[in-house]
């Protein structure tokens, strides 16, 4: 059987995910509302003065991004499974790696879209500008890191009995190093301290991303065999 | 080799089984003796630490138990990779045994560290990078057990557990390497000596106090015992338990079919 | 071939912790500090130690530390349950000074290693200084004395960092404890030393004082101004500042050992219980099978 070229297959899957999202807006809708609700709750719960706000804002940003991304990952893969899409994809003449990369890019785009909504809203609510080039870089790298792990693990957990409940339990500890590095890097970038103090965290983040992308790419085929 | 030996011992000829059992019992006795000698060296033979007092002796358990946990978790990675390649149940059994033993040893590592920190750092817990990553590591392997129990199909369970066991090892490596990225800066000083002023104390001499041979040999011996004998003997026992479980469930299937 | 690769991978994993061990020793704070008996006096039962100043002879016994250089003596000992004046007087007697009379000056000092009480005694034609501190029910005292009066005297001054002139003021106060006739220095010279400084003052009657600020105290040595003075300055304050009590942390050792064995026991008991449960099941199933 002749298989479709890797990139063509990846792009086809990404396009399929985006088109489905354009029609239903199921994912970004749910994730966006959840994210906005959480930052509102955070700003009520933490009534902070200006200085304290700069300290905690990157923590709030990351917690919100991660939880809404877990929500999105669960929905994205549950939908695939319930509608039998996953089985169809696996039967199609494309490599398992392409399926993984396609789903990963889709989830990455959705989570970045949520972050793009969050940044201006949070900047306004906390009156701290988040549009710093290094914060944006950290966001790109950090979101890539945990959607990489998350896509693999969500594919696993949607096939289990506990389903949605299991993903955060399984994903959080593995993704925590990424989150830790991302929070440290963006806090450092926002605090205005010397670049040398926190640039190491950005490098760690990049290294972790590389490790996880390679590991998850090679482990994915074992997760979807039937 | 022990894992394979244990496995073949449990499933093949009774004679080999007996041989394996004898070896395991011999190793178990050796381990107990080794641990006792290690405790003697650490608790009695080595000198008292002048800065930290007696509590410093926990060091002789704290570090070796991490080495043991590392070996056990490494066994999980080996078991996971080998299972995904060969699909032989024995490798998954090795992986599961590694997680259970590793969790116990990592818990010992964490608890002794925390108790040590109480008098020396004046707190049971701080968000020191290494402590944090160590706690994350333990949670990851707890999640491994949760994941296993959440899957009914045995083949899927073994496959997913293998994948997760490989992925989880990244937290072990991070715990290990984080000290190189973010070295601990808290130095355990309780009351003095605070570094004296260079101007007044020009001739105060060298503050680097040398470790006596007793300390070095206690650490070396305990590490050898805890990183080789303890995890392997425990893993082997756990594998035998799992083999009995397999035998019982096969028997149960057979009885139910009747 | 596949097996070979697997075992090679496994062997690699086994070697990894060993390489980390090599680095571990250098970087963990837990590395054990043991005692070098050539440079330290360690009182094992009471758990304190002092640094032996270089060039001084140690005439210590297991009970007390006694360092000598010429006719200068440093004497350190613990006095359980005594109050400050009693312990100071007793320490003077133990150091070999008879009938010193009452202290001519007494003051409390907040230093980096605790609150010390400083006593100054008049001894024959010279002076003797005692520093004493109580920690968890035990009092520790150190005596400094000698024929030529070179003695460590510490005077507290507030806001020392903002106002360096207070160092000179403190040094005059210290010098007056040796000779009350002193009013003002004849010469004053200040030498900067890194972030700190050394001030040397000379007074009438051949008295010299060397002083340096540390925290909110002025460390001063007042004496005859010979070349040996700087060496003694260093020795006195080394003994005082490096006096160190080994904390009593034995309960925590037992707690740690107890918890560690509890965890190990939990694992073993859990293995045993599951083992026995399985064997019981197996026996029951075999019976069913035969029936």
């Amino acid at each position: 059987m002749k298989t479709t070229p890797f990139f063509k297959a990846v792009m086809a899957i990404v396009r399929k995910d985006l088109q489905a999202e354009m029609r239903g807006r199921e994912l970004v809708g749910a994730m966006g509302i959840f994210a906005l609700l959480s930052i509102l709750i955070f700003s009520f719960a933490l009534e902070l003065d200006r200085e304290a706000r700069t300290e905690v804002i990157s923590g709030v940003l990351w917690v919100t991004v991660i939880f809404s991304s877990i929500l999105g990952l669960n929905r994205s893969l549950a939908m695939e499974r319930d509608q039998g899409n996953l089985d169809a994809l696996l039967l199609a003449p494309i490599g398992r790696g392409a399926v993984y990369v396609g789903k990963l890019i889709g989830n990455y785009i959705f989570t970045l879209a949520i972050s793009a909504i969050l940044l201006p809203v949070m900047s306004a609510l906390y009156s701290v500008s988040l549009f710093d080039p290094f914060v944006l870089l950290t966001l790109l790298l950090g979101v890539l890191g945990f959607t990489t792990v998350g896509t693999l693990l969500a594919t696993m957990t949607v096939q289990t009995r506990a389903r949605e409940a299991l993903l955060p339990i399984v994903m959080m500890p593995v993704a925590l190093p990424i989150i830790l590095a991302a929070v440290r890097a963006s806090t450092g970038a926002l605090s205005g301290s010397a670049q040398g103090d926190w640039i190491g965290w950005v490098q760690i983040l990049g290294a972790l991303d590389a490790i996880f992308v390679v590991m998850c790419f090679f482990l994915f085929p074992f997760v979807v065999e039937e | 080799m022990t894992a394979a030996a244990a496995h073949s011992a449990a499933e093949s000829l009774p004679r080999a089984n007996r041989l394996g059992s004898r070896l395991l019992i011999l190793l178990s006795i050796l381990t107990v003796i080794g641990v006792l000698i290690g405790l003697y060296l650490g608790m009695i033979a080595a000198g008292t630490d002048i800065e930290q007092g007696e509590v410093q002796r926990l060091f002789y358990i704290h570090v070796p138990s991490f080495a043991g946990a590392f070996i056990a978790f490494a066994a999980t990675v080996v078991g996971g990779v080998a299972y995904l390649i060969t699909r032989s149940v024995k490798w998954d059994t090795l992986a599961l045994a590694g997680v259970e033993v590793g969790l116990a040893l990592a818990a010992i590592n964490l608890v002794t560290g925390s108790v040590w920190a109480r008098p020396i750092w004046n707190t049971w817990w701080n968000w020191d990078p290494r402590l944090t990553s160590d706690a994350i590591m333990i949670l990851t392997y707890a999640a491994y057990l949760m994941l296993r129990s959440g899957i009914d199909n045995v083949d899927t369970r073994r496959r997913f557990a293998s994948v997760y066991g490989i992925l989880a090892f990244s937290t072990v490596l991070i715990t290990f390497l984080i000290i190189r990225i973010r070295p601990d800066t808290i130095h355990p000083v309780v009351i003095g000596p605070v570094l004296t002023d260079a101007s007044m104390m020009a001739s105060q001499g060298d503050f680097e106090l040398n470790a006596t041979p007793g300390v070095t040999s206690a650490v070396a011996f305990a590490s050898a015992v805890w990183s080789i004998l303890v995890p392997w003997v425990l893993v082997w026992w756990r594998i035998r338990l799992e083999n009995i479980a397999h035998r019982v469930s096969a028997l149960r299937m057979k009885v139910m079919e009747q | 071939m596949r097996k070979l690769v697997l075992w090679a991978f496994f062997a690699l994993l086994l070697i990894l912790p060993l390489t980390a061990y090599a680095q571990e020793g250098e970087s963990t704070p837990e590395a054990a500090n043991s005692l070098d008996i050539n440079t330290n006096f360690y009182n094992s039962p009471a758990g304190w130690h002092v640094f032996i100043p270089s060039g001084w002879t140690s005439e210590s016994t297991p009970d007390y530390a006694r360092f000598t250089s010429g006719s200068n003596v440093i004497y350190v000992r613990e006095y359980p349950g005594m109050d400050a004046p009693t312990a100071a007087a007793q320490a003077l007697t133990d150091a070999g000074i008879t009938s010193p009379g009452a202290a001519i000056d007494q003051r409390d000092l907040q230093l980096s290693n605790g609150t010390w009480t400083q006593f100054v005694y008049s001894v024959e034609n010279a002076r003797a200084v005692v520093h004493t501190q109580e920690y968890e029910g035990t009092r520790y005292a150190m005596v400094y004395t000698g024929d030529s009066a070179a003695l460590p005297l510490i005077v507290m001054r507030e806001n020392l960092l903002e106002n360096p002139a207070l160092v000179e003021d403190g040094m005059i106060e210290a010098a007056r404890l040796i000779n009350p006739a002193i009013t003002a220095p004849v010469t004053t010279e200040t030498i900067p030393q890194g972030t700190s400084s050394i001030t040397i003052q000379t007074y009438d009657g051949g008295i010299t004082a060397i002083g340096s600020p540390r925290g909110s105290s002025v460390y001063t040595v007042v004496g005859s101004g010979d070349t040996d003075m700087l060496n003694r300055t260093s020795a006195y304050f080394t003994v005082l500042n490096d006096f160190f009590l080994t904390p009593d942390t034995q309960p925590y050792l037992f707690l740690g050992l107890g918890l560690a064995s509890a965890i190990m026991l939990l694992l073993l008991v859990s293995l045993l219980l599951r083992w026995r449960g399985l064997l019981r099941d197996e026996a029951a199933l075999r019976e069913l099978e035969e029936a």
Side-chain angles (χ1 to χ4, degrees), chain B residues 130-158:
Chain B
R130 186 166 239 189
L131 273 179
T132 314
S133 68
D134 195 46
I136 293 169
M137 178 184 92
I138 289 177
L139 286 176
T140 314
Y141 283 96
Y144 174 95
L145 295 177
M146 298 263 321
L147 180 73
R148 276 194 93 98
S149 66
I151 306 166
D152 295 323
N153 183 315
V154 279
D155 286 328
T156 318
R157 184 199 298 156
R158 289 182 186 136

Side-chain angles (χ1 to χ4, degrees), chain C residues 80-148:
Chain C
M82 281 193 195
D83 65 349
T86 324
Q90 183 65 44
L92 274 182
T93 318
D94 289 346
I97 296 158
T98 44
S99 60
I104 56 170
D105 184 74
Q106 173 182 353
R107 59 182 70 204
D108 284 345
L109 311 168
Q110 261 84 38
L111 302 187
S112 57
N113 56 356
T115 302
W116 295 83
T117 311
Q118 173 180 272
F119 292 91
V120 182
Y121 289 89
S122 179
V123 186
E124 286 158 33
N125 55 354
R127 297 278 194 275
V129 174
V130 179
H131 284 128
T132 164
Q133 178 182 192
E134 190 181 10
Y135 185 77
E136 289 186 348
T138 306
R139 184 162 285 282
Y140 304 87
M142 41 186 75
V143 178
Y144 324 89
T145 183
D147 56 346
S148 60

Side-chain angles (χ1 to χ4, degrees), chain A residues 36-191:
Chain A
L36 289 177
L37 279 174
S38 1
I39 52 167
L40 276 178
I41 291 168
F42 272 124
S43 63
F44 280 127
L46 316 163
E47 280 189 41
L48 301 165
D49 54 52
R50 218 194 122 65
E51 238 172 78
R53 263 184 269 153
T54 358
E55 297 259 309
V56 300
I57 190 166
S58 63
V60 171
L61 174 71
W62 280 104
V63 170
T64 312
V65 170
I66 287 149
F67 279 108
S68 46
S69 122
I70 286 177
L71 190 78
L73 285 164
N74 259 329
R75 298 259 329 128
S76 152
L77 284 140
M79 263 155 45
E80 291 283 359
R81 188 174 159 76
D82 291 346
Q83 295 158 5
N85 273 349
L86 205 58
D87 296 335
L89 275 177
L90 297 178
L91 286 174
I94 48 174
R96 302 273 150 92
V99 176
Y100 174 69
V101 175
K103 288 306 290 177
L104 167 62
I105 292 176
N107 290 328
Y108 187 47
I109 291 172
F110 294 144
T111 314
L112 280 184
I114 297 303
S115 318
I117 301 169
L118 276 178
L119 283 180
V121 175
M122 280 186 78
S123 300
L125 273 178
Y126 291 78
S127 32
V128 177
S129 174
L130 286 170
F131 292 94
D132 177 283
F134 277 103
V135 174
L136 298 179
L137 176 66
T138 313
L139 209 56
L140 286 177
L141 289 174
V143 171
L144 175 65
F146 66 75
T147 40
T148 301
V149 180
T151 307
L152 175 80
L153 292 177
T155 317
M156 255 158 71
T157 53
V158 291
Q159 299 178 56
T160 64
R161 206 171 349 115
R163 306 199 97 186
E164 275 85 355
L166 204 53
L167 180 63
I169 297 171
V170 174
M171 180 184 154
M172 288 295 251
V174 179
L176 244 153
I178 298 166
I179 300 164
L180 207 77
V183 171
R184 290 292 174 90
S186 48
T187 309
L190 285 175
S191 70

